Amino acid sequence: MERTLSLLTPSGRLTLGNLLGALRPMAAGQDATDGFYGIADLHAMTTPHDPGRLRALVLETATLMLAAGLDRSTLFVQSRVPAHAQLAYLLECTATTGELNRMIQFKEKGRDQPTTRAALFTYPALMAADILLYGPRRVPVGADQRQHVELTRDLALRFNRLYGPVFTVPEITVPAAGARVMRFDDPTRKMGKSDADAAGVVLLLDPPDVVRRKVARAVTDSDTGPDAVRADPAKPGVTNLLDVLAACGGSAEGLTTYGALKRCVTDAVVAQLAPLQERYAELAADPAHVSSVFAAGAERCREVTTPVLEAAQAAMGL
Ligand code: ATP
Ligand code: MG
């Protein structure tokens, strides 16, 4: 079975976007792939962070991954598989400052400030290690991650040329068109966990009344005609609500007002989240079980990654 790999950075609490765009498709694909799904805690430290919050986010994310039905995949926390950090250093010795300087995140989030953490500059090498350790043949990436995977390919090709054929060079593929959830308070911006505090971001653990309030305040538009409830590029707020409704199994059949649409969206989202939250509550009461699943996952990751790391070390003369 082909290996698939995906890492979630614990940069905030998981959102409805993460469920519809990542967790749900991962869970659905489990029988067709050998899935490795990780929590990228090391990537959550490239900007100032709070240790207690990071620890809590890792536990919540881990519990939510299990609650979302990822029970037949290899689940792990990145820092528990030391080969990630170890190979990252070897790849920092392969990458150049010129190419890391061109990375968009670094340019936008810190290049010109002397207090920027050095890890914000070097983390693309860690990301390359995250991928190359598992040797996936294909990596489906959206536009925002493309530059990272292109760098990963460049580093793998350069390493193989300089030191010998150690790495599988992954192909970049276009991900299956999935739901892309936008913020309810600003439908031009993606719903992301870094903005988990925003009024229009629905969290997976939001209780029904909070979901209702967030959906009720969703931005729509001033068009109140008889066919106002329709998907239309000129109506991004309404289109987003319709997309969320469809992704949560609801139907907009016969709806003519935004109020009615919002009630339907609320019901569909609440129904989508209810079983997840129920399962979460059970798992949260048994953190030892969650830890043991992730410990077993890390063990399997160590088995898979150690030979790759050792081959890279030997090729480089270590
Ligand atoms: P951040 O704000 O820290 O970037 P994020 O919510 O965008 O957080 P990522 O860690 O970047 O989450 O991505 C995790 C996974 O969730 C990826 O597979 C990504 O495609 C998916 N994802 C994130 N946000 C959305 C969204 N709004 N709609 C659909 N999928 C999403
Ligand atoms: Mg993101």
Side-chain angles (χ1 to χ4, degrees), residues 196-234:
D197 296 334
V201 174
V202 172
L203 303 180
L204 295 186
L205 296 178
D206 275 344
D209 58 313
V210 174
V211 174
R212 177 161 297 112
R213 195 174 65 233
K214 288 177 176 174
V215 176
R217 291 195 191 147
V219 169
T220 51
D221 56 47
S222 53
D223 166 18
T224 54
D227 64 344
V229 178
R230 65 171 194 280
D232 181 333

Side-chain angles (χ1 to χ4, degrees), residues 1-8 26 29-30 33-39 65 70 72-77 81 84 130-131 133-136 294 296-305:
M1 270 198 292
E2 190 162 334
R3 260 183 212 161
T4 48
L5 180 75
S6 187
L7 270 71
L8 296 165
M26 284 177 195
Q30 285 183 106
T33 57
D34 186 14
F36 285 77
Y37 299 120
I39 300 177
M65 287 166 82
L70 288 174
R72 286 153 286 150
S73 300
T74 302
L75 307 183
F76 65 101
V77 177
V81 185
H84 287 253
D130 297 335
I131 297 171
L133 282 170
Y134 296 85
F294 276 75
E299 182 57 42
R300 172 143 192 252
C301 290
R302 286 191 289 269
E303 281 164 23
V304 167
T305 58

